[in-house]
């Protein structure tokens, strides 16, 4: 039997993002008034299918406010996103930092957030906002309810709630542009109706102009775990999680990311239920940061999983055979604990052969 004592820890938000490569928007409550009938079926103008199709075909440029909770309060960051649809669920894009509301250009806070965006703009775009990631699974795992028409930025929108079938996943309130099916506002709530994230568009144009370097990146996409592992040179210690452990979530994205500073490669496996997602990140050639802890100095093996959890985010970390493992997802998704343990058992069984 393997035991898994937890090492619980807390770190500042920005440091956690840098360590994990995962950005999560944090809450700022804005009251919404004049909503219509709750529970009415969404009109044909806005549906899971129309929002999924918009990702594939609609170009746009949006200036928006992304709000974060920090130890010093709420931070509202202004950003500009330009999306050039390419017929796939992963359009070409640029996400640029435009400043922190209330902070003068060049201040310490302004510079800190500028660096965060320089390092993590791709993650903020891909993982930090509402999106239909898999149409069939979205339909199976969520219901879409219409709260009626409204106006945002002088454009007609539909106010909708995307409600999960299971209570351990977020509830989304979105305002979807009727003409383009692009969300112009998104707020994420947990089952206790605590707001976890918010993005608010302040300008919208239904076209985009990307720079010459927009397509350059240090990641490659692969059709399977095996293909990605082969691309990395088949390093030892990597684990493909058993699909039976993920319930209604399915692996939908396999990437290899290369750090341009040291050429270290990281395998990222993305899982989705159609809207929500979580990640397994495996990095070979890393040292065990828990090696000096007293729990690891005891006689016999001690298999330790470190866990960070707040209302918005869960992250579990562990090491085996010079491979670091991270499992990251929503704070409400408590079953990630068991999923991380199952991966650790697989890693131990693989390394003992």
């Amino acid at each position: 039997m393997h035991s898994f004592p937890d090492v619980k820890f807390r770190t500042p938000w920005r440091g956690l993002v840098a360590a994990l490569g995962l950005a999560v928007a944090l809450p700022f409550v804005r009251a919404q008034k004049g909503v219509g009938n709750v529970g009415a079926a969404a009109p044909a103008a806005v549906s899971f299918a129309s929002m999924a199709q918009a990702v594939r075909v609609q170009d746009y440029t949006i200036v928006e406010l992304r709000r974060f909770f920090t130890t010093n309060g709420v931070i509202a960051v202004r950003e500009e996103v330009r999306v050039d649809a390419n017929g796939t669920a992963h359009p070409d894009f640029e996400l640029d930092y435009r400043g922190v509301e209330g902070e003068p250009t060049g201040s310490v806070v302004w510079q800190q957030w500028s660096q965060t965006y320089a390092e993590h703009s791709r993650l903020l775009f891909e993982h930090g906002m509402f999106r239909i990631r898999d149409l069939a699974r979205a339909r199976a795992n969520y219901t879409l309810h219409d709260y009626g028409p409204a106006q945002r930025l002088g454009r007609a929108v539909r106010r909708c709630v995307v409600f999960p079938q299971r209570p351990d996943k977020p509830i989304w309130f979105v305002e979807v542009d009727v003409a383009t099916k692009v969300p112009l506002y998104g707020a994420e709530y947990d089952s206790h109706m605590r707001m976890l994230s918010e993005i608010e568009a302040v300008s919208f144009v239904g076209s985009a102009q990307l720079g010459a370097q927009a397509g350059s990146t240090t990641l490659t996409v692969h059709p399977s775990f095996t293909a990605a592992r082969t691309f990395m040179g088949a390093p030892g210690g990597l684990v493909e999680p058993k699909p039976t452990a993920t319930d209604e979530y399915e692996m939908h994205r396999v990437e290899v990311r290369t750090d341009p500073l040291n050429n270290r490669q990281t395998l990222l496996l993305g899982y989705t239920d159609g809207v929500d997602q979580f990640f397994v990140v495996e990095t070979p050639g890393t040292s065990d940061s828990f090696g000096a802890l007293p729990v690891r100095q005891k006689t016999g093996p001690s298999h330790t999983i470190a866990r960070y959890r707040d209302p918005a985010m869960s992250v579990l970390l562990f090491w085996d055979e010079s491979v670091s493992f991270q499992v990251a997802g929503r704070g409400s998704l408590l079953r990630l604990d068991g999923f991380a343990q199952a991966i650790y058992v697989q890693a131990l069984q693989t390394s003992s052969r």
Side-chain angles (χ1 to χ4, degrees):
M1 295 290 293
H2 299 295
S3 60
F4 296 94
D6 288 335
V7 178
K8 300 179 182 179
F9 60 95
R10 300 189 66 85
T11 63
W13 179 87
R14 189 172 180 275
L16 187 62
V17 169
L20 304 176
L22 177 66
V24 176
L26 300 175
F28 178 86
V29 175
R30 179 176 299 274
Q32 299 292 335
K33 298 180 180 179
V35 298
N37 294 328
V38 179
V46 176
S47 65
F48 287 140
S50 66
M51 287 188 284
Q53 180 66 7
V55 174
R56 298 175 177 273
V57 301
Q58 181 62 51
D59 299 347
Y60 60 87
T61 300
I62 293 178
V63 177
E64 57 195 14
L65 295 177
R66 186 188 296 267
R67 294 184 174 94
F68 301 87
F69 272 149
T70 72
T71 54
N72 297 319
V74 177
I75 296 289
V77 180
R78 184 173 292 256
E79 62 189 36
E80 180 176 321
V81 57
R82 297 176 297 280
V83 173
D84 186 1
N86 55 24
T88 76
H90 304 280
D92 298 322
F93 73 94
E94 291 175 330
L95 178 63
D96 292 333
Y97 170 74
R98 296 298 185 221
V100 177
E101 299 293 282
E103 284 289 333
T105 301
S107 71
V108 173
V109 173
W110 190 98
Q111 292 180 19
Q112 288 175 342
W113 284 96
S114 176
Q115 183 63 31
T116 297
Y117 271 70
E119 295 173 356
H120 303 299
S121 63
R122 172 170 290 276
L123 292 160
L124 284 165
F125 174 78
E126 292 183 345
H127 313 310
M129 58 185 65
F130 175 82
R131 185 173 303 163
I132 304 300
R133 308 178 194 283
D134 182 283
L135 178 56
R137 288 187 173 273
R139 286 170 168 167
N141 296 308
Y142 293 83
T143 55
L144 179 62
H145 303 274
D146 182 32
Y147 271 53
Q151 292 278 318
R152 182 170 290 274
L153 305 177
R155 301 177 65 88
V157 298
R158 300 296 302 191
R159 288 175 167 173
C160 299
V161 166
V162 178
F163 201 87
Q165 299 285 1
R166 295 184 59 160
D168 61 348
K169 291 187 285 193
I171 303 163
W172 287 93
F173 176 85
V174 293
E175 293 184 358
V176 182
D177 182 58
V178 172
T180 64
K181 311 305 183 292
V182 174
L184 301 183
Y185 175 88
E188 175 191 3
Y189 296 84
D190 66 13
S191 60
H192 301 287
M193 298 310 297
R194 293 176 296 188
M195 195 178 198
L196 303 179
S197 71
E198 184 185 50
I199 301 179
E200 177 188 5
V202 296
S203 73
F204 174 87
V205 177
S207 61
Q209 183 67 46
L210 271 59
Q213 300 301 314
S216 63
T217 181
T218 57
L219 69 82
T220 56
V221 180
H222 301 270
S224 66
F225 170 89
T226 300
R229 183 175 179 273
T230 300
F231 175 84
M232 297 173 70
L238 296 182
V239 172
E240 181 176 12
K242 296 178 180 178
T244 54
T246 58
D247 296 324
E248 73 274 24
Y249 290 82
E250 183 178 60
M251 187 188 298
H252 75 117
R253 185 80 165 171
V254 180
E255 297 178 357
V256 175
R257 299 185 176 183
T258 303
D259 188 331
L261 298 178
N262 55 20
N263 289 321
R264 175 173 289 169
Q265 292 181 319
T266 294
L267 174 65
L268 186 146
L269 309 175
Y271 294 80
T272 187
D273 66 352
V275 174
D276 189 33
Q277 59 182 353
F278 65 82
F279 309 93
V280 177
V281 183
E282 305 181 21
T283 306
T286 59
S287 58
D288 183 351
S289 296
F290 300 155
L293 295 178
V295 70
R296 299 297 289 269
Q297 302 301 315
K298 296 178 180 178
T299 303
S302 177
H303 307 301
T304 304
I305 296 178
R307 182 179 66 208
Y308 171 91
R309 176 168 290 135
D310 63 27
M313 176 168 36
S314 291
V315 182
L316 298 109
L317 302 95
F318 53 93
W319 278 259
D320 184 63
E321 290 292 298
S322 299
V323 177
S324 70
F325 294 83
Q326 302 174 9
V327 179
R330 304 293 178 189
S332 59
L333 206 61
L334 302 183
R335 44 187 155 141
L336 288 181
D337 290 17
F339 185 53
Q341 289 188 15
I343 296 173
Y344 203 169
V345 169
Q346 283 186 255
L348 294 169
Q349 291 172 343
T350 299
S351 61
S352 65
R353 291 175 184 172

